[in-house]
Amino acid sequence: MTEIDTEAFLADLYALREIGRFRTGVHRPTFSAADMESRRWLMAKLEECGLEASIDGIGNVLGRHRGPGPHLLVGSHIETQNEAGWLDGALGVVAGLALARAGLPVDVVAFADEEGHFSGGFLGSRSAIGALTEAEIDAARNRTDGTPLRAALETAGLAGLPRMRLDPARYRGFLELHIEQGTQLESAGLHLGVVSGIVAIWQFQIVFAGNQDHAGGTTMAERRDAGLSAVRLLAAIDREFPKVCGPRSTWTTGRITLDPGGYSIIPGRAEVAFQFRDVSIPVLERMEACLEALVRESNRRERCPATLTTLSKAIPAPCDPDLMRALSEAAEQVCPGRWQVMPSGAGHDAQNIARILPAAMLFVPSIGGISHHWAEDTSDADLAFGVRALGAAAARVLVG
Amino acid sequence: MTEIDTEAFLADLYALREIGRFRTGVHRPTFSAADMESRRWLMAKLEECGLEASIDGIGNVLGRHRGPGPHLLVGSHIETQNEAGWLDGALGVVAGLALARAGLPVDVVAFADEEGHFSGGFLGSRSAIGALTEAEIDAARNRTDGTPLRAALETAGLAGLPRMRLDPARYRGFLELHIEQGTQLESAGLHLGVVSGIVAIWQFQIVFAGNQDHAGGTTMAERRDAGLSAVRLLAAIDREFPKVCGPRSTWTTGRITLDPGGYSIIPGRAEVAFQFRDVSIPVLERMEACLEALVRESNRRERCPATLTTLSKAIPAPCDPDLMRALSEAAEQVCPGRWQVMPSGAGHDAQNIARILPAAMLFVPSIGGISHHWAEDTSDADLAFGVRALGAAAARVLVG
């Protein structure tokens, strides 16, 4: 069994946590000063481990193994959500570094903007498989401050650099170690999760058009209250979705905006940010049909017409069976009986890489399931289980 | 019958509309440059009509009749909501000016901040009846930009001026002409509304405490989605309030804020801005009891505890029967058979003045019921009916 230096691995993780530190988490939005510092830190570390480090025109950092193949690609992303956790993304990158340090013939990658600070999201992994156009780069803007992506690339010193394309012939596959971002493992007292597939997210905007009116002068019978129509639709979704969903489907209303938003003003417009997720296309299609039917019913019954706009419909990414088998055997070796197979409810770079390479993922538990928040954490012991199992799986794949 | 110069009255209204004009409406937030310009404009007009004009330390403008009594107080407010209508408030003030021009022994008043740009609201009319403390002035801030009220008064040149107190012995009562801010008159084809009473507004904040989590990693069964708990409570209010309310009760959710508000984040906190209105205290108390019961039920059933905070509970203000009779007779004289008695769903300065003086209100129709919006409007014919009926009623009261 390949020996992973878990001490060095944890030391790397702790060192990376100091770049853009925010409380016990980090704040490294894509192409910020802290994000670029972390990318330079990574390049130095990759060289230290004997890899040939480079950064490309969209911010992807690649550490290329200098010896002969077969090779595996290992990694994740390195930027974070705003004021978020220290492990999301960073864990998978630093685990790749640990495998390289152990002498495994791996390339290590940190894809840019998995977190979607720029419209579109997954910039790096989409670019690396040839699914990001120059026109999309021209149009993309930062969701927080509106900065054009081109300007951000210029400031980061990346403008004009070529964009790397992954060569499928070079790799037996892609492995990504990640935190679970849920409590399935923790609740079951397990230490590792072999991911069966990555859910697809289908995302919608629902806008209700009402009449902005004085909350005292307008009787209940006269009103066209856009907020109330929105509440009724959301209550109907809460009632109907459990009848059509799959066992691990999720649906979320992340935002409700009532315009103009005053106590004494009947909302003239309501906007709802809604999404659902599943690993199965038939289940996704059933949920979409249900949503469409509920919007139609709302439009028959309510005074405020609702408009449903589809923002994105991704395709679920099942993980590669051979890589899953290697991860399962490695998990059993490292944590006998304390692992399970499970879907990933969150999107990951692996779902894009899966379009050109066999890809698979391994999860470690998230304490309390906290994610996308600075309090996100995982025990050192579970982090070590994760990197050891990843190393053992990589060794199996590369030897096999 | 006292002859009102409706031409001069409309010319005044149109002139005032030009101060802080926004599209077909106006933008004159309390103590803004435009608001202070309108107060100076009014003082000049009051003097022109033979009254003795003054402004006090909270921005109230008073035009005092120079002759002997009996007197009536006539007026409203002159500032507006942001980017709002040209008649709300201004109509009642300019109508007072028209009565003074016609030689009626009236004092004309423009109270400050009826619209509540500063926390607390109704600053001017509360000050004039002795119900506004210096401590409250110290604490109040602008709701839009956070400016302390003291600083705003300083900038407006009002700091240090004495605050006027109305002398109940001087007046037979207070009359306020106002737009309806609803469609009751318009729908019924009527031109005037004699107000029976002003509803009280009871205002609440409801906060739901959930768990902010990743929308993919956290199963539906594990979630504590604060937004979903809020939607369920609001749907229950929509279902239950019609069972306890009065015939003219209203209830409104003006704002729903989900934190942090991202598509892929389960809301960890939801905040709801809720109010209801009625003219009857028993009805208000029934609605409050219903709301409290629904919050208790929510807290038994939901995973996200809800906290109900009462922000304000006003007392309804019935209008004075003698003044109502004078207004009714005047309405019948000006528009035979084309008027009705009706409650006011909106709050007005008259509700404060009613605590020390007989007070009553007259409504003219709002086109399409539009209010608190720059498109607010009333036909010139209805504006003229309003001021003529107000003049006739004042003459009856002063002669009687």
Side-chain angles (χ1 to χ4, degrees):
Chain A
M1 184 174 167
T2 310
E3 210 43 67
I4 302 287
D5 182 346
T6 53
E7 293 287 317
F9 161 73
L10 290 171
D12 282 348
L13 270 179
Y14 281 111
L16 179 52
R17 184 186 207 164
E18 295 308 315
I19 304 176
R21 179 152 187 151
F22 177 80
R23 300 194 186 185
T24 63
V26 285
H27 181 65
R28 288 198 305 259
T30 310
F31 305 141
S32 63
D35 176 50
M36 292 311 294
E37 187 186 337
S38 74
R39 289 177 199 277
R40 287 188 298 270
W41 173 90
L42 175 63
M43 288 173 75
K45 282 284 173 186
L46 292 168
E47 292 282 351
E48 212 180 288
C49 293
L51 304 181
E52 182 192 347
S54 63
I55 188 164
D56 83 346
I58 199 72
N60 288 330
V61 173
L62 183 70
R64 210 176 141 88
H65 182 254
R66 292 173 197 266
H71 291 103
L72 269 174
L73 182 66
V74 183
S76 186
H77 60 95
I78 197 163
E79 86 286 334
T80 71
Q81 293 269 5
N82 294 327
E83 302 179 358
W86 67 297
L87 294 169
D88 188 338
L91 173 61
V93 173
V94 173
L97 203 55
L99 269 54
R101 188 181 286 117
L104 286 163
V106 297
D107 287 3
V108 178
V109 70
F111 293 114
D113 202 40
E114 190 267 357
E115 295 292 4
H117 287 278
F118 290 85
S119 25
F122 293 102
L123 293 178
S125 53
R126 288 195 290 134
S127 175
I129 63 166
L132 179 72
T133 64
E134 291 294 316
E136 196 177 338
I137 297 175
D138 290 341
R141 287 177 174 273
N142 187 290
R143 290 179 200 268
T144 304
D145 62 18
T147 309
L149 174 54
R150 288 285 183 206
L153 289 168
E154 184 76 40
T155 306
L158 300 172
L161 294 184
R163 290 196 277 138
M164 71 142 172
R165 280 286 288 278
L166 290 173
D167 173 12
R170 180 172 166 84
Y171 302 108
R172 292 222 168 149
F174 173 65
L175 291 181
E176 185 172 2
L177 179 64
H178 207 281
I179 55 167
E180 180 198 344
Q181 306 178 275
T183 58
Q184 297 288 293
L185 292 175
E186 186 179 75
S187 308
L190 303 178
H191 299 294
L192 293 171
V194 174
V195 175
S196 55
I198 300 169
V199 300
I201 306 176
W202 290 19
Q203 204 142 279
F204 304 85
Q205 184 197 53
I206 316 170
V207 174
F208 297 80
N211 251 17
Q212 179 182 327
D213 272 313
H214 189 288
T218 314
T219 60
M220 298 311 285
E222 291 168 321
R223 291 175 180 219
R224 290 180 55 220
D225 180 336
L228 185 56
S229 295
V231 161
R232 288 176 181 153
L233 178 72
L234 293 173
I237 288 174
D238 177 42
R239 203 167 50 236
E240 298 302 322
F241 261 51
K243 302 176 188 168
V244 300
C245 72
R248 274 297 302 259
S249 304
T250 58
W251 56 97
T252 307
T253 298
R255 192 168 57 237
I256 304 172
T257 309
L258 305 189
D259 269 343
Y263 260 90
S264 288
I265 311 178
I266 299 166
R269 184 175 184 277
E271 188 182 313
V272 170
F274 184 72
Q275 63 161 233
F276 51 76
R277 303 175 183 224
D278 202 86
V279 283
S280 149
I281 288 186
V283 170
L284 290 161
E285 286 174 343
R286 281 210 309 270
M287 291 197 281
E288 185 188 34
C290 179
L291 176 63
E292 286 169 348
L294 291 173
V295 168
R296 278 197 305 273
E297 188 191 326
S298 170
N299 283 338
R300 276 193 300 268
R301 199 184 49 204
E302 297 286 326
R303 292 178 206 148
C304 304
T307 308
L308 178 69
T309 306
T310 304
L311 301 183
S312 61
K313 285 168 69 168
I315 294 167
C319 288
D320 179 74
D322 291 334
L323 291 181
M324 278 182 67
R325 190 175 318 116
L327 284 168
S328 300
E329 288 166 1
E332 180 62 24
Q333 179 184 336
V334 171
C335 299
R338 307 295 286 277
W339 62 279
Q340 71 176 9
V341 174
M342 62 191 294
S344 167
H348 295 288
D349 287 310
Q351 76 201 46
N352 291 315
I353 306 311
R355 291 161 68 179
I356 62 160
L357 281 182
M361 294 188 72
L362 184 66
F363 278 171
V364 292
S366 297
I367 295 173
I370 297 167
S371 173
H372 286 183
H373 187 282
W374 54 265
E376 165 207 287
D377 207 5
T378 299
S379 72
D380 284 358
D382 282 339
L383 294 172
F385 282 138
V387 74
R388 286 175 56 211
L390 194 77
R396 281 169 192 273
V397 173
L398 290 164
V399 169
Chain B
M1 182 172 168
T2 312
E3 210 43 71
I4 302 288
D5 182 347
T6 53
E7 293 287 317
F9 161 74
L10 290 172
D12 282 349
L13 271 180
Y14 282 112
L16 180 52
R17 183 185 208 164
E18 295 308 316
I19 305 176
R21 179 153 189 149
F22 177 81
R23 300 194 186 185
T24 64
V26 285
H27 180 66
R28 289 196 306 261
T30 310
F31 306 139
S32 63
D35 176 50
M36 292 311 295
E37 187 185 338
S38 74
R39 289 177 199 277
R40 288 189 297 271
W41 173 90
L42 175 62
M43 289 173 75
K45 282 283 171 186
L46 292 168
E47 292 283 350
E48 209 181 288
C49 293
L51 303 181
E52 183 192 345
S54 63
I55 188 163
D56 82 348
I58 199 73
N60 287 331
V61 173
L62 183 70
R64 208 176 142 89
H65 183 253
R66 292 174 197 266
H71 291 103
L72 269 175
L73 182 66
V74 184
S76 185
H77 61 96
I78 198 163
E79 85 286 336
T80 70
Q81 294 268 7
N82 293 327
E83 303 179 358
W86 67 298
L87 294 169
D88 187 337
L91 174 61
V93 172
V94 173
L97 203 55
L99 269 54
R101 187 181 286 119
L104 286 163
V106 296
D107 287 2
V108 178
V109 68
F111 294 114
D113 202 39
E114 190 266 356
E115 296 292 5
H117 286 280
F118 289 85
S119 25
F122 292 104
L123 293 178
S125 53
R126 288 196 291 133
S127 175
I129 62 166
L132 179 70
T133 64
E134 292 293 316
E136 196 176 337
I137 297 175
D138 290 341
R141 288 180 172 271
N142 187 290
R143 290 179 200 269
T144 305
D145 62 19
T147 309
L149 174 53
R150 289 284 182 205
L153 289 169
E154 184 75 42
T155 306
L158 300 172
L161 294 183
R163 290 197 276 139
M164 71 143 172
R165 280 286 286 276
L166 291 173
D167 172 12
R170 181 174 165 85
Y171 302 109
R172 293 223 166 148
F174 172 66
L175 291 180
E176 184 172 2
L177 179 64
H178 207 281
I179 54 167
E180 179 198 344
Q181 307 179 274
T183 58
Q184 297 287 291
L185 293 175
E186 186 180 75
S187 308
L190 303 177
H191 299 295
L192 293 170
V194 174
V195 175
S196 55
I198 299 168
V199 300
I201 306 176
W202 289 18
Q203 206 142 280
F204 304 86
Q205 185 197 53
I206 316 169
V207 174
F208 298 79
N211 251 16
Q212 180 181 324
D213 272 313
H214 190 288
T218 314
T219 61
M220 298 312 284
E222 290 167 319
R223 290 174 182 222
R224 291 181 54 219
D225 180 336
L228 185 55
S229 294
V231 162
R232 287 177 181 154
L233 178 73
L234 293 172
I237 289 173
D238 177 43
R239 204 167 52 234
E240 299 302 323
F241 262 49
K243 302 175 187 168
V244 299
C245 71
R248 274 297 302 259
S249 304
T250 58
W251 56 97
T252 307
T253 298
R255 192 168 58 238
I256 304 171
T257 309
L258 305 189
D259 269 342
Y263 260 89
S264 286
I265 311 179
I266 299 166
R269 184 176 184 277
E271 188 184 313
V272 170
F274 184 72
Q275 64 160 234
F276 50 77
R277 303 174 183 225
D278 203 85
V279 284
S280 151
I281 288 186
V283 170
L284 289 161
E285 286 174 344
R286 281 211 309 269
M287 290 198 282
E288 186 188 34
C290 179
L291 177 62
E292 287 169 349
L294 291 173
V295 169
R296 278 196 305 273
E297 188 191 326
S298 170
N299 283 338
R300 276 193 299 269
R301 200 182 49 203
E302 297 286 326
R303 292 175 207 151
C304 305
T307 307
L308 178 69
T309 306
T310 305
L311 300 183
S312 61
K313 285 168 69 168
I315 294 168
C319 288
D320 178 74
D322 292 335
L323 293 181
M324 278 181 66
R325 190 175 318 113
L327 285 168
S328 299
E329 289 165 1
E332 180 62 23
Q333 180 185 334
V334 171
C335 298
R338 306 294 286 278
W339 62 279
Q340 71 176 9
V341 175
M342 63 191 293
S344 167
H348 296 289
D349 288 311
Q351 74 201 45
N352 292 315
I353 307 309
R355 291 161 67 179
I356 63 160
L357 281 182
M361 294 189 73
L362 184 66
F363 278 171
V364 292
S366 297
I367 295 173
I370 295 165
S371 173
H372 286 182
H373 187 280
W374 55 265
E376 165 207 285
D377 207 4
T378 299
S379 73
D380 284 358
D382 283 338
L383 294 172
F385 282 139
V387 74
R388 287 175 56 212
L390 194 77
R396 281 169 191 272
V397 172
L398 289 164
V399 169

